[in-house]
Amino acid sequence: MIVLLDMDDVIADTSKYLYQKLRDKYPEIGEFQKDRTHFHIKNEYSPEHLQIVESILYNPDFQLSIPPVQGSLEAITEISNRGHNIDFCSTPHSCYE
């Protein structure tokens, strides 16, 4: 059986890590201190603040440092150990469209 696993917020703890970075780096920006209420990030922030978010989110160093969701690596191992083929998938970010 082939199992498809999404990356963002399933395997990689992208949102949590991004919000932590934004809150730590920009404590004076109120938009970054609020809980997220929209699915798409582009609908969450004002245009000026969205540029800040995207500069962090699309930075290769940020992408390479995203921690795994707790338990996700163990789950991947278990799925693989049961003989399933795993394919990882993700929707490309808008900057790559």
Side-chain angles (χ1 to χ4, degrees):
M1 175 187 294
I2 297 173
V3 177
L4 296 176
L5 294 175
D6 187 22
M7 293 298 296
D8 291 330
D9 300 323
V10 176
I11 304 302
D13 212 351
T14 309
S15 293
K16 182 178 177 181
Y17 190 57
L18 174 63
Y19 300 133
Q20 175 188 5
K21 291 288 184 192
L22 290 170
R23 289 173 176 159
D24 291 349
K25 190 168 183 175
Y26 301 98
E28 72 283 1
I29 298 178
E31 279 186 277
F32 297 158
Q33 306 310 314
K34 299 177 185 175
D35 290 334
R36 187 170 166 186
T37 58
H38 295 86
F39 180 75
H40 294 289
I41 288 177
K42 64 184 177 187
N43 299 328
E44 191 69 38
Y45 302 108
S46 64
E48 69 181 88
H49 293 143
L50 183 59
Q51 288 181 334
I52 294 170
V53 172
E54 289 176 340
S55 73
I56 292 172
L57 182 62
Y58 302 144
N59 182 301
D61 291 334
F62 173 82
Q63 291 289 323
L64 291 170
S65 64
I66 300 170
V69 171
Q70 185 176 4
S72 65
L73 301 181
E74 295 82 2
I76 292 168
T77 300
E78 181 63 27
I79 292 167
S80 179
N81 288 344
R82 291 183 182 201
H84 302 296
N85 294 318
I86 301 171
D87 287 337
F88 297 94
C89 57
S90 189
T91 301
H93 291 281
S94 60
C95 71
Y96 302 116
E97 293 176 354

